[in-house]
Amino acid sequence: MMKAILTGMNGTVAPVVAETLTRHGIEPVAWDRTKVSTTDEAEMRRFIESVRPNYFLHIGMGAVEWADTLARLCGEYKIPFLFTSTVSVFSDDVTGPITPDTPPDATDEYGAYKRACEETIARTNPGAQIVRLGWQIGDGPGSNNMMDYFETEMKRKGVIVASAHWYPSCSFLEDTADALFEFLTKRGPGLYQLNGNPSHSLYDIVLGLKELHDTSWQIERTDEPKRDNRMVDTNITIQPITKRLALHTK
């Protein structure tokens, strides 16, 4: 059986990707930081050599140096390497739709961190895949996704305030996982951008999710912020969010 090492298995995206890999006959192997170092290269080598993975997905957070070493080792071992980045490499000053040629400019801690990872991976391993993700939509609270954000807003404020003029990059977690599997198995190296939102505002999306999950959310429409964070990439396809929402909102 083929195997894939995944970092970030305690996070939001990696567990769903692991389920998708399993469904396609690829055994996911978690990089357990309590057992495998992220700084000792010799230990990292031993782990990779013991698993002998067919693929490597670096989805978890960690030092830029860790990403650099993973990319370099996978290049050395000729293991296809995929790194998940984020739309947050762009500041709010960038007006979308955002193409792969748009220069990343984020200076906040998270955005700058992901920018640094992108740069070092591209330099260290030209055969790597770098995939920028938007805001992920899960099934409910409990992890870092859009549903969790909305549920938290309701508990804190009793209302979800959503702009009708903010167009976020986003996709359902399952669709993201399917797309990442396609990248791993059918795409070559390069920079890619995953966004399943063709034209909907945050206000549209929260209304659709309210209906989809039959929640009792109170939603308030606002005109601010006015922002277009949608990424576009003509080289890829991902299931649009309307496919899932429309099934439940007709």
Side-chain angles (χ1 to χ4, degrees):
M1 174 182 279
M2 291 193 293
K3 297 179 182 179
I5 294 177
L6 294 86
T7 67
M9 283 296 287
N10 291 322
T12 301
V13 176
V16 183
V17 174
E19 292 174 2
T20 300
L21 293 174
T22 301
R23 194 170 67 247
H24 289 280
I26 300 173
E27 178 186 350
V29 179
W31 187 294
D32 186 342
R33 301 187 208 192
T34 66
K35 299 177 181 178
V36 185
S37 175
T38 62
T39 57
D40 185 329
E41 183 173 325
E43 190 174 324
M44 295 163 72
R45 281 183 180 276
R46 284 194 295 272
F47 178 64
I48 293 172
E49 289 173 359
S50 69
V51 176
R52 298 178 65 186
N54 302 89
Y55 305 102
F56 198 113
L57 298 96
H58 187 29
I59 302 174
M61 297 285 288
V64 175
E65 292 76 15
W66 184 34
D68 180 61
T69 304
L70 292 177
R72 177 168 50 81
L73 291 177
C74 286
E76 179 182 327
Y77 292 125
K78 294 181 169 51
I79 301 167
F81 181 80
L82 186 152
F83 171 71
T84 54
S85 188
T86 171
V87 67
S88 296
V89 296
F90 302 101
S91 73
D92 293 339
D93 295 329
V94 174
T95 301
I98 301 166
T99 73
D101 294 325
T102 305
D105 66 336
T107 57
D108 65 286
E109 184 177 359
Y110 179 61
Y113 158 71
K114 285 291 191 176
R115 284 181 62 191
C117 285
E118 285 190 6
E119 291 165 6
T120 192
I121 288 169
R123 182 173 58 250
T124 301
N125 185 345
Q129 295 175 325
I130 298 172
V131 186
R132 292 172 180 156
L133 309 181
W135 200 350
Q136 297 302 295
I137 307 174
D139 291 327
S143 64
N144 184 24
N145 72 78
M146 188 182 286
M147 285 293 295
D148 183 72
Y149 170 79
F150 290 146
E151 288 283 0
T152 301
E153 285 292 283
M154 273 300 302
K155 289 177 182 176
R156 288 177 58 241
K157 302 177 181 177
V159 64
I160 298 169
V161 179
S163 173
H165 300 284
W166 176 13
Y167 300 89
S169 280
C170 57
S171 57
F172 281 89
L173 271 168
E174 293 83 357
D175 297 331
T176 297
D178 286 342
L180 291 177
F181 170 77
E182 289 290 316
F183 285 128
L184 271 180
T185 57
K186 298 179 182 178
R187 294 278 182 164
L191 172 66
Y192 301 95
Q193 300 192 144
L194 277 181
N195 167 41
N197 178 23
S199 58
H200 293 276
S201 71
L202 189 65
Y203 178 70
D204 297 330
I205 294 167
V206 70
L207 286 178
L209 289 173
K210 175 181 180 178
E211 226 173 300
L212 173 63
H213 294 287
D214 192 24
T215 72
S216 57
W217 293 345
Q218 299 299 309
I219 302 169
E220 180 182 321
R221 182 186 185 277
T222 183
D223 292 328
E224 295 291 339
K226 292 181 172 67
R227 187 183 303 157
D228 189 346
N229 296 125
R230 288 174 297 162
M231 297 183 293
V232 295
D233 191 336
T234 57
N235 294 317
I236 64 172
T237 57
I238 183 172
Q239 187 86 281
I241 58 173
T242 47
K243 289 290 184 181
R244 291 181 184 267
L245 294 179
L247 291 173
H248 299 267
T249 57
K250 284 181 180 179

